[in-house]
Amino acid sequence: MPVSRSRKPKNSKQRPGPAKPAPARRSRPAPVRFGVAVLAALLVCALVVGAVSALGGGGGGGSPTQGESPTAPQGNPAESLERRDADDPFALGDVDAPVVMLQYTDFQSAFDGVHARDTHDSLVREFVDSGVLRIEFRQFPINGPESDAAARASWAAGQQGKFWEFYEVALDEEFHQNEGRFSEERLPELAERAGVADVDRFLADMESEAATETMTRDSNEALSLGVSATPSFLVNGQPLQGAQPLDAFRTAIEAAADAAQG
C-alpha cells in the first residue's frame, strides 16, 4: 500500500496541520506454488466430491505403517488399473506376471525413502526376477514444488531409460523436505548420477506437456482410489499402505499369486 503524503497548503496564509504518520507497509506473503498433483487434487475434489469424500487425513507423520489404506475400486482392479505395457519405462517385471503391484510415490516422502532403501531391492530379487511380480510406478507428488520437480525429473529420466536408476539415486539417503535436494540447480547432478546421457533433453522433457499429462493422470488415479499418503500400493487390487516391512509385502504377494493361480 503506497505511503500517503500530506497535501501542500492552498496559499501562503494557510498553514498545514500537523503531519500524520505514514501507515506502515505490510509485507506481502510469498505466493504459494502448488505442484501439479495438488492442483489436480483440488480439481478432482471440486468435481467429484462424492468419490473423494472417502479420503482420510492420512499422513506423513507417525510410524511408516500409519495412514489410511487406498480403497480398492469396484470390479477387478488389477484389470482396470494395470497397464501391462512392455515398453513402459516406469515398470519392472514381466508383462504377464501373475501379480501386479501399483506403487504411488512422492519423492519427498520420508517413508517412500524407507521403502526404496529397505524393501524395494529385495522385492525385485525375490519376486520380480522370478517372474511372479510386476511393479508399475505411479507419480503422486503431494508435498509441494520440489515433489513436483522430482516427479517430473524422474519422468524425464525415464524417457532415456533411466527411471529406476533415478529412483534409486533420488532416495538413496535421508533428507528433509524442501531443503533443495530437487532444486533446479541439483536435478542435473542427480540425472548424471543416474546415468542420464543427454541432460539438455532431460531438462526440456521435465517442462514438456507430456510430463504434465502424466503427473495429472497418475495423481487423478491415486485420488480416485482414496490415496492420501505415500507410499501406497495395490497388490492385485488389495491395498497396502506405508513403508511396510518385507514380510508384509511377501505375505500380500504370495496370497495374490495363489489366488491368481486358483
Side-chain angles (χ1 to χ4, degrees):
M1 184 175 182
V3 178
S4 61
R5 302 175 185 273
S6 58
R7 295 184 177 179
K8 293 182 179 181
K10 293 183 179 179
N11 52 59
S12 57
K13 295 181 180 181
Q14 186 178 12
R15 300 179 63 186
K20 295 181 179 181
R25 289 180 180 268
R26 294 184 178 180
S27 59
R28 286 187 176 183
V32 179
R33 295 182 61 191
F34 293 101
V36 170
V38 178
L39 293 175
L42 296 175
L43 176 61
V44 172
C45 288
L47 295 178
V48 282
V49 176
V52 183
S53 62
L55 289 176
S63 67
T65 59
Q66 287 181 336
E68 293 192 16
S69 297
T71 303
Q74 298 297 318
N76 188 332
E79 290 183 356
S80 63
L81 294 178
E82 65 192 30
R83 295 169 187 168
R84 291 190 182 270
D85 179 0
D87 298 322
D88 186 354
F90 314 109
L92 289 172
D94 297 341
V95 292
D96 57 352
V99 181
V100 175
M101 183 175 78
L102 308 185
Q103 175 178 337
Y104 299 88
T105 289
D106 181 316
F107 278 89
Q108 284 208 112
S109 164
F111 304 112
D112 279 291
V114 171
H115 175 79
R117 292 186 295 273
D118 295 352
T119 308
H120 173 78
D121 287 346
S122 296
L123 290 177
V124 172
R125 287 193 299 268
E126 186 169 344
F127 295 107
V128 174
D129 291 347
S130 64
V132 174
L133 177 67
R134 176 176 174 84
I135 301 174
E136 294 190 357
F137 188 92
R138 303 289 191 266
Q139 304 281 2
F140 195 42
I142 54 177
N143 288 311
E146 282 199 44
S147 293
D148 182 71
R152 288 172 174 273
S154 70
W155 183 89
Q159 304 314 297
Q160 299 185 50
K162 296 296 182 180
F163 169 78
W164 290 103
E165 289 82 354
F166 186 93
Y167 173 82
E168 180 179 350
V169 166
L171 297 173
D172 65 358
E173 62 183 1
E174 294 183 17
F175 58 90
H176 296 293
Q177 289 184 7
N178 301 312
E179 68 170 5
R181 183 176 181 83
F182 301 115
S183 64
E184 183 178 349
E185 295 77 16
R186 295 188 65 183
L187 283 172
E189 175 190 343
L190 290 176
E192 290 177 349
R193 286 177 55 198
V196 174
D198 189 338
V199 175
D200 289 336
R201 176 190 168 188
F202 164 83
L203 293 172
D205 283 340
M206 277 185 60
E207 304 303 323
S208 67
E209 184 62 30
T212 299
E213 291 174 357
T214 298
M215 302 304 110
T216 303
R217 178 190 62 179
D218 286 2
S219 298
N220 285 346
E221 180 180 297
L223 290 164
S224 73
L225 294 170
V227 175
S228 60
T230 63
S232 287
F233 306 88
L234 285 180
V235 181
N236 273 15
Q238 296 304 310
L240 191 62
Q241 171 67 43
Q244 301 276 355
L246 177 61
D247 282 345
F249 284 93
R250 183 180 288 120
T251 298
I253 293 166
E254 291 175 349
D258 290 342
Q261 292 175 354

